Amino acid sequence: MEIPFNKPYLTGREFDYLKKAHSGGCLAGDGFFTKKCHGWLEKKVGCHKAFLTHSCTAALEMAAILIDTQPTDEIIMPSFTFVSTANAFVLRGGTPVFVDIRPDTLNIDETKIEAAITAKTKAIVVVHYAGVSCEMDPIMALAAKYNLFVIEDAAQGIMSSYKGRALGSIGHLGTYSFHETKNIISGEGGALLINDPQFISRAEIIRDKGTNRGQFSRGVVDKYTWYDIGSSFLPGELIAAFLFAQMEEAENITQRRLAIWQHYHTAFAPLEKIGLLRRPIVPADSQPNAHIYYLLLKDANQRSEFIRQSEQCGINPVFHYVPLHNSLAGIQYGRINGNLGVTNKLANCLVRLPLWLGIETRLEDVANQFISILKATDNLTLQAT
């Protein structure tokens, strides 16, 4: 069987919407479909304002500008994340301060944040790993206590929630990704979610190359000009047209992914019971979106052997992040606070399984193949010891 790690899903309306965008005469962005996407996000998420961007990376870079990140500023974040979480702030001269993650959810350990706060701390960036929420209430309380900004890197979190609140809607700013590996896709794409209204006006200017073109388009000013720093963060209208077709099916996509996630979860329960692996843990306050199904194996050697044998069978599980504090750039631009033992251990054990719409018809065979391989790799591990 040939089972890729990811296979982009089509709802069936994408190409009709692309044609409609073209016939509407607006391809440069901020047209009919961009407005439809903004409206969908604002209603679904409950943010004050949403802005499509050409990637989640771009949305994070906008967030770094909006909070006025300076070379003296420190930004607390997990090390177990994608490079964009840190890069956005390093580009403004900020210093990422890496703290450890929780062993259950692999999210930033909220009990380790306060010890990392200094007079230089400007913000806390949380990453909702696998679409499972961080513990946002204590994090927001800590931010209020020290007058810090909270930015949610919810790249993986669309259609997930914490205590009934959409991920991305709780911090001062939130970000989404619509990369082809995410649940709702446009190939490349992202969004900035603004929950603190003070940022709305400037965000519009920063997103449009530092100009007040948005005000000009609405007839507020008679000409537009350079107003602030910024860049070309908005996507073209074809991206928005494709994305809106996905947004219309977001509920159905999420429910189907949750069913796949649950099939895996049930299948691997017996192996967890005998101590061969650990399955994902979802706290009661979190409603996930089934973005990732991962397993935590015993060590890096078992993971490598599991991936190797799976690929021989035509199935493609993959590992995930190299922790940023262990990377060349992370060492150069960031610093560590405390012991990152959980991050170091779990990053070496984690493997992600294929999870995409259409795999359902082959899912039982895939899960059974994984179970056979896992038992075989466990025996190899025992023989090696």
Side-chain angles (χ1 to χ4, degrees):
M1 65 179 79
E2 289 294 332
I3 303 292
F5 172 70
N6 180 65
K7 190 174 182 179
Y9 176 68
L10 289 174
T11 70
R13 288 190 291 274
E14 286 85 354
F15 298 115
D16 288 339
Y17 287 179
L18 293 176
K19 291 177 183 177
K20 186 174 180 180
H22 178 264
S23 65
C26 174
L27 295 181
D30 276 344
F32 173 81
F33 283 105
T34 298
K35 292 179 174 63
K36 295 289 282 186
C37 291
H38 287 173
W40 187 92
L41 285 166
E42 287 157 15
K43 181 179 180 180
K44 181 65 68 174
V45 176
C47 56
H48 283 283
K49 182 64 181 173
F51 289 107
L52 289 192
T53 58
H54 53 71
S55 64
C56 187
T57 299
L60 286 164
E61 289 175 7
M62 285 183 64
I65 296 171
L66 283 168
I67 67 167
D68 196 28
T69 305
Q70 299 293 315
T72 55
D73 291 335
E74 295 180 343
I75 315 294
I76 296 171
M77 64 183 66
S79 173
F80 190 65
T81 184
F82 190 57
V83 296
S84 296
T85 312
N87 240 342
F89 300 92
V90 171
L91 283 168
R92 311 311 309 167
T95 300
V97 177
F98 302 119
V99 299
D100 212 355
I101 55 175
R102 293 169 52 127
D104 54 355
T105 62
L106 282 62
N107 287 328
I108 191 168
D109 188 334
E110 69 280 2
T111 68
K112 304 291 178 63
I113 294 174
E114 189 164 20
I117 296 173
T118 71
K120 296 180 179 180
T121 305
K122 173 66 72 72
I124 303 165
V125 181
V126 302
V127 180
H128 302 294
Y129 185 72
V132 175
S133 63
C134 298
E135 285 296 325
M136 293 304 296
D137 282 353
I139 292 171
M140 294 305 295
L142 200 58
K145 177 180 177 181
Y146 289 96
N147 194 30
L148 306 176
F149 294 110
V150 174
I151 298 165
E152 292 179 77
D153 183 343
Q156 302 172 13
I158 194 165
M159 302 297 288
S160 294
S161 62
Y162 169 76
K163 296 185 177 180
R165 291 173 287 172
L167 301 192
S169 73
I170 304 167
H172 299 88
L173 298 165
T175 63
Y176 281 158
S177 172
F178 304 117
H179 185 268
E180 69 168 34
T181 57
K182 301 302 189 291
N183 296 24
I184 310 299
I185 65 170
S186 59
E188 287 280 2
L192 177 68
L193 312 171
I194 298 180
N195 306 310
D196 187 335
Q198 69 166 306
F199 293 119
I200 293 175
S201 179
R202 190 176 183 222
E204 182 181 58
I205 291 170
I206 290 168
R207 176 174 173 266
D208 207 351
K209 309 170 187 69
T211 74
N212 61 342
R213 189 170 70 96
Q215 295 177 18
F216 172 72
S217 299
R218 294 190 298 273
V220 177
V221 296
D222 60 359
K223 55 181 176 294
Y224 73 92
T225 187
W226 186 15
Y227 231 72
D228 198 348
I229 62 170
S231 190
S232 184
F233 287 120
L234 69 161
E237 193 65 8
L238 294 178
I239 294 293
F242 193 103
L243 178 61
F244 188 63
Q246 297 268 317
M247 288 177 166
E248 289 182 316
E249 292 295 321
E251 296 285 352
N252 179 51
I253 289 170
T254 304
Q255 290 308 309
R256 287 180 63 184
R257 292 184 70 96
L258 285 167
I260 297 167
W261 192 100
Q262 189 58 53
H263 187 106
Y264 276 141
H265 206 57
T266 300
F268 295 119
L271 299 188
E272 183 178 59
K273 190 173 182 179
I274 63 174
L276 201 154
L277 52 80
R278 206 206 81 186
R279 299 178 300 162
I281 295 172
V282 180
D285 289 335
S286 179
Q287 176 56 55
N289 61 359
H291 172 57
I292 291 172
Y293 193 87
Y294 64 84
L295 297 172
L296 292 171
L297 305 184
K298 291 184 177 180
D299 54 35
N301 290 333
Q302 187 190 13
R303 180 180 68 181
S304 296
E305 184 62 20
F306 172 72
I307 292 174
R308 187 187 70 80
Q309 290 192 30
S310 295
E311 289 176 342
Q312 287 182 340
C313 297
I315 314 174
N316 290 277
V318 298
F319 57 85
H320 216 176
Y321 313 122
V322 173
L324 297 185
H325 74 279
N326 291 330
S327 67
L328 290 175
I331 293 168
Q332 180 178 354
Y333 297 116
R335 69 174 180 83
I336 297 170
N337 186 270
N339 187 312
L340 272 61
V342 177
T343 301
N344 289 327
K345 178 182 178 181
L346 298 189
N348 287 325
C349 301
L350 186 143
V351 61
R352 296 178 291 160
L353 307 187
L355 200 170
W356 40 269
L357 300 196
I359 199 176
E360 294 98 322
T361 58
R362 305 173 76 180
L363 188 56
E364 187 169 357
D365 290 340
V366 170
N368 287 338
Q369 187 68 61
F370 280 146
I371 289 168
S372 297
I373 294 169
L374 285 163
K375 289 178 177 177
T377 57
D378 188 56
N379 288 334
L380 286 173
T381 301
L382 290 173
Q383 292 170 14
T385 57

